[in-house]
Amino acid sequence: MIDTKPAAPNALPTPYLLFLGDVTETGFAKTAFALRDWAPDSCTGEYVLPGGKVSTGLQPMTPAQAASQGARSLLIGVASPGGIIPASWYPALFDALDAGLDIVNGLHTKLSSVPKLHSAAQDHGRRLIELRRPPEGIPSGTGTRRGGKRLLTVGTDCAIGKKYTALSLAQAMSRRGMLVDFRATGQTGIMIAGSGIPVDAVVSDFISGAAETLSPDAPDEHWDVIEGQGTLVHPAFAAVSMGLLHGSQPDVFVICHEPGRKHLVGYPDFPTPTIEEIIDLTVRLGRYTNPAIRCAGVAMNTSALSEDAAYRLLAAESNRLGLAVADPVRGGQAFESLVSACISD
Amino acid sequence: MIDTKPAAPNALPTPYLLFLGDVTETGFAKTAFALRDWAPDSCTGEYVLPGGKVSTGLQPMTPAQAASQGARSLLIGVASPGGIIPASWYPALFDALDAGLDIVNGLHTKLSSVPKLHSAAQDHGRRLIELRRPPEGIPSGTGTRRGGKRLLTVGTDCAIGKKYTALSLAQAMSRRGMLVDFRATGQTGIMIAGSGIPVDAVVSDFISGAAETLSPDAPDEHWDVIEGQGTLVHPAFAAVSMGLLHGSQPDVFVICHEPGRKHLVGYPDFPTPTIEEIIDLTVRLGRYTNPAIRCAGVAMNTSALSEDAAYRLLAAESNRLGLAVADPVRGGQAFESLVSACISD
């Protein structure tokens, strides 16, 4: 079980009632599915509106029913076409406040776009929590060495498995009886962990400081497994990756890669870097805040391959790179070897 | 003359009346001095309170007098002990609004900390301009190549001459009849240029996009000379340097360095990098958005040396590195060689 002790001021009111609105395509519900998969104990049930066609399979219930079962918030677990909060959702949001639930929102569109919701929240003494709002009081980075060990997932692109890999590694380490915390840096990860800092919403002068705050000083044997963001070669987001790397001062990093991906998602003029390139850059830049930084191995997304082809590729890459290479989804011995490579000196 | 055409939405209401408050130490007035030196045409005069001991030498005048001479804003040109806005300054701020001036503030403390100032501004139809507020509507970076040429000043530390060097180079290039714009990224630079984007206040996901916005597509022969920020090895601020580098897609960069500085200012555990290290990192990382990036030379701060020792050092370093090396403050032939090295292919 992943330890969900709050790491940062942004502790969320769990457990959640997952709100699926009236979305009709599963692609819009990735957040809800991730919560069901990674934080089932944080989910009381789901609430789907008439017309909605997507379900997580969790127990369906209204806000009032969820509240009576101990739920503390309604979490918007779906995106919406156009990114706005549709009027069809409004009654559910007000019902949630009536029932005594806070509302947790990770959409770009703020809850303040819903007329009268803010005053309703005030009347009921409830919180409207915006996960994309920059947190307050984040200090600048210091570069000071902190106690404990840290692992960072590092990507050759965005949307390549850094969160999933971090969650898998943390879970595996926890199963081995280790003291470990998953540290979330994105909205979904924060919802899963129940706390964290959305680093892409932090002002750039404070990104390293945010990363330092996210994985504070800890006992020597404790591990922070930190969700990476972006990639160091990204024309739009490399700054986030850089600040997160410095502030996390990781002892160990795991590369996340998808074989066959030719260019950065959304940036067709930018070829995906090689694994070696990112290993080299990460060591080069990461050394400034942790001279001992090393690459433990590679997590590959082999979902496009057959099982045979996948295992052949993982073995071949492991040979080629001289590192542990595994697919966290497929698990197995290769993944256990990757875990071992992370935690051994 | 440096072209002060607004480059970005943040165009400031020039000319300014420089407000020096009642500060007694020149160290607090660096902004005012920089404006006097670099943007004299943007300064109508100065306003010093009783008890103040620092003067820029500009014509002393009250807000009403400044307004009658065409000033459009009172600019707070000093820092204050503790960083707050002292009550002794309040009457001057209200007088400025009365006289028809906007107020430009670059302090961390916002003008909203001054009781009733905001409503006074509204009553007079005046603006309170916070230079440390993140600008709105900045897009994500695209990595798309833009027309025109770009030069970025890059540091081996913070507070090492990047702004001064950029201003000097832009001024020299302008004197040579070139089409050039100085692009400001910090509060003082923005005040000097009359526009710009305070990149350290931009949310980290948008830093590259801010840099792209700051130096937009331009004619082939046009030069943007961009004020660098931070240094790529800084434990707190490297993310800013990274995003600015990517988004600026510079063709040319000039290293700014101070011989004898042993560690990063404020970070005694972090040694200053070598010039070669920063050249290497800048080329390595900058290539992703401009494969043609090259180092034109080095701007050194030799203020601690005698004139003889300085010129000997500049010549020796130029020999050693195989690059143009000059002190922009000392100017002279060495500096002209540096300018030539920037603009030649």
Side-chain angles (χ1 to χ4, degrees), chain A residues 140-143 199-205 207-208 232-240 242-243 246 267 270 277 280-281 284-285 288-289, chain B residues 140-143 199-205 207-208 232-240 242-243 246 267 270 277 280-281 284-285 288-289:
Chain A
S140 292
T142 63
V199 293
D200 62 3
V202 173
V203 160
S204 65
D205 239 17
I207 251 247
S208 298
L232 287 167
V233 302
H234 205 289
F237 306 123
V240 186
M242 173 77 116
H246 275 171
Y267 292 78
F270 287 83
E277 198 172 344
D280 189 61
L281 269 180
R284 175 110 192 252
L285 298 172
Y288 288 107
T289 55
Chain B
S140 292
T142 63
V199 293
D200 61 4
V202 173
V203 161
S204 65
D205 240 17
I207 251 245
S208 297
L232 286 167
V233 303
H234 204 290
F237 307 123
V240 185
M242 173 78 116
H246 275 171
Y267 292 78
F270 286 83
E277 197 171 345
D280 190 60
L281 269 180
R284 175 113 192 251
L285 298 172
Y288 289 105
T289 54

Side-chain angles (χ1 to χ4, degrees), chain B residues 2-3 5 147-152 166 169-171 173-174 176-183 214-226 248-254 290 294 296 338-345:
Chain B
I2 298 174
D3 187 341
K5 268 198 320 301
K149 304 197 226 298
R150 288 166 189 79
L151 182 161
L152 176 70
L169 290 170
Q171 194 176 62
M173 290 162 72
S174 183
R176 294 189 184 198
M178 306 178 71
L179 205 57
V180 60
D181 278 291
F182 165 72
R183 301 302 191 191
L214 183 63
S215 61
D217 197 59
D220 283 349
E221 68 278 11
H222 177 273
W223 277 92
D224 286 309
V225 178
I226 303 157
S248 301
Q249 54 185 230
D251 304 282
V252 168
F253 64 95
V254 169
N290 188 344
R294 66 178 176 91
L338 177 59
V339 177
S340 299
C342 291
I343 63 183
S344 66
D345 284 335

Side-chain angles (χ1 to χ4, degrees), chain B residues 12-269:
Chain B
L12 298 179
T14 56
Y16 318 116
L17 170 62
L18 297 189
F19 181 59
L20 271 70
D22 46 14
V23 302
T24 57
E25 296 173 33
T26 56
F28 283 114
K30 293 193 310 185
T31 296
F33 291 129
L35 282 163
R36 174 201 63 193
D37 292 343
W38 291 102
D41 292 348
S42 294
C43 304
T44 309
E46 73 173 26
Y47 181 32
V48 183
L49 295 176
K53 292 197 174 7
V54 179
S55 166
T56 60
L58 292 172
Q59 182 80 19
M61 57 184 70
T62 64
Q65 291 166 334
S68 71
Q69 294 191 35
R72 292 171 59 219
S73 62
L74 180 88
L75 183 145
I76 299 179
V78 287
S80 64
I84 57 155
I85 298 175
S88 55
W89 295 7
Y90 291 2
L93 300 176
F94 284 94
D95 286 347
L97 298 175
D98 277 342
L101 306 177
D102 295 333
I103 302 178
V104 177
N105 177 35
L107 301 174
H108 275 295
T109 308
K110 302 286 183 287
L111 293 169
S112 53
S113 69
V114 180
K116 297 195 174 67
L117 192 69
H118 185 254
S119 45
Q122 282 194 308
D123 293 343
H124 285 91
R126 304 259 57 89
R127 287 191 296 160
L128 300 180
I129 299 165
E130 299 288 2
L131 286 189
R132 288 191 191 262
R133 185 182 50 214
E136 313 240 320
I138 301 283
S140 292
T142 63
T144 306
R145 288 307 307 278
R146 308 190 290 285
K149 304 197 226 298
R150 288 166 189 79
L151 182 161
L152 176 70
T153 53
V154 169
T156 53
D157 193 3
C158 299
I160 206 157
K162 295 187 289 291
K163 176 175 79 256
Y164 191 101
T165 298
L167 285 163
S168 304
L169 290 170
Q171 194 176 62
M173 290 162 72
S174 183
R175 269 198 305 260
R176 294 189 184 198
M178 306 178 71
L179 205 57
V180 60
D181 278 291
F182 165 72
R183 301 302 191 191
T185 58
Q187 284 82 26
T188 305
I190 292 169
M191 293 177 184
I192 289 170
S195 70
I197 301 179
V199 293
D200 61 4
V202 173
V203 161
S204 65
D205 240 17
F206 299 97
I207 251 245
S208 297
E212 293 183 5
T213 303
L214 183 63
S215 61
D217 197 59
D220 283 349
E221 68 278 11
H222 177 273
W223 277 92
D224 286 309
V225 178
I226 303 157
E227 173 191 9
Q229 290 289 338
T231 176
L232 286 167
V233 303
H234 204 290
F237 307 123
V240 185
S241 314
M242 173 78 116
L244 190 50
L245 173 61
H246 275 171
S248 301
Q249 54 185 230
D251 304 282
V252 168
F253 64 95
V254 169
I255 298 284
C256 300
H257 185 63
E258 183 184 29
R261 186 181 296 191
K262 298 259 182 302
H263 62 77
L264 302 183
V265 168
Y267 292 78
D269 294 334

Side-chain angles (χ1 to χ4, degrees), chain A:
Chain A
M1 187 183 73
I2 298 173
D3 187 342
T4 56
K5 265 195 326 298
N10 286 32
L12 298 179
T14 56
Y16 316 116
L17 170 63
L18 298 188
F19 181 59
L20 271 70
D22 45 14
V23 301
T24 57
E25 297 174 31
T26 56
F28 284 113
K30 292 194 310 184
T31 296
F33 290 130
L35 282 164
R36 174 202 63 193
D37 292 343
W38 291 104
D41 292 346
S42 294
C43 304
T44 308
E46 73 175 25
Y47 182 31
V48 183
L49 295 176
K53 292 196 175 6
V54 179
S55 167
T56 60
L58 292 171
Q59 182 80 18
M61 56 184 70
T62 64
Q65 290 165 335
S68 71
Q69 294 193 33
R72 291 171 60 217
S73 61
L74 180 87
L75 183 144
I76 299 179
V78 286
S80 63
I84 58 155
I85 298 175
S88 56
W89 294 8
Y90 291 1
L93 300 177
F94 284 93
D95 286 349
L97 298 174
D98 277 343
L101 305 177
D102 295 333
I103 302 179
V104 177
N105 176 34
L107 300 175
H108 275 296
T109 309
K110 302 286 182 287
L111 293 169
S112 53
S113 69
V114 180
K116 298 196 173 69
L117 193 69
H118 185 253
S119 45
Q122 283 193 307
D123 293 344
H124 286 91
R126 303 259 57 88
R127 288 192 296 160
L128 300 180
I129 299 165
E130 299 288 1
L131 287 189
R132 288 191 190 262
R133 186 183 47 214
E136 311 241 322
I138 301 284
S140 292
T142 63
T144 305
R145 287 308 307 277
R146 308 191 289 286
K149 303 197 227 299
R150 288 166 189 78
L151 183 161
L152 176 69
T153 53
V154 169
T156 52
D157 192 4
C158 298
I160 204 158
K162 296 187 288 290
K163 175 176 80 256
Y164 191 100
T165 299
L167 285 163
S168 303
L169 290 170
Q171 196 176 62
M173 289 161 73
S174 183
R175 270 199 304 260
R176 294 190 187 198
M178 307 177 73
L179 204 58
V180 59
D181 277 292
F182 165 73
R183 300 302 191 192
T185 59
Q187 285 82 28
T188 306
I190 292 169
M191 292 174 185
I192 289 170
S195 70
I197 301 180
V199 293
D200 62 3
V202 173
V203 160
S204 65
D205 239 17
F206 299 97
I207 251 247
S208 298
E212 293 184 5
T213 302
L214 182 63
S215 62
D217 197 58
D220 282 349
E221 68 278 11
H222 176 273
W223 277 92
D224 285 311
V225 178
I226 304 157
E227 173 190 11
Q229 289 290 338
T231 176
L232 287 167
V233 302
H234 205 289
F237 306 123
V240 186
S241 314
M242 173 77 116
L244 191 51
L245 172 61
H246 275 171
S248 301
Q249 55 185 229
D251 304 283
V252 169
F253 64 94
V254 169
I255 298 284
C256 300
H257 185 62
E258 181 183 30
R261 187 181 296 193
K262 297 257 182 302
H263 62 77
L264 302 183
V265 167
Y267 292 78
D269 294 335
F270 287 83
T272 344
T274 62
I275 291 169
E276 294 94 311
E277 198 172 344
I278 297 301
I279 291 177
D280 189 61
L281 269 180
T282 305
V283 169
R284 175 110 192 252
L285 298 172
R287 274 198 178 132
Y288 288 107
T289 55
N290 188 343
I293 189 172
R294 66 179 176 91
C295 181
V298 182
M300 283 219 182
N301 178 350
T302 62
S303 55
L305 307 177
S306 70
E307 185 168 343
D308 277 352
Y311 280 114
R312 277 200 307 274
L313 177 67
L314 296 174
E317 286 290 277
S318 184
N319 258 341
R320 187 175 71 79
L321 295 165
L323 294 167
V325 180
D327 185 334
V329 176
R330 297 189 187 272
Q333 186 52 46
F335 181 68
E336 291 303 315
S337 298
L338 178 58
V339 178
S340 298
C342 291
I343 63 182
S344 67
D345 284 332

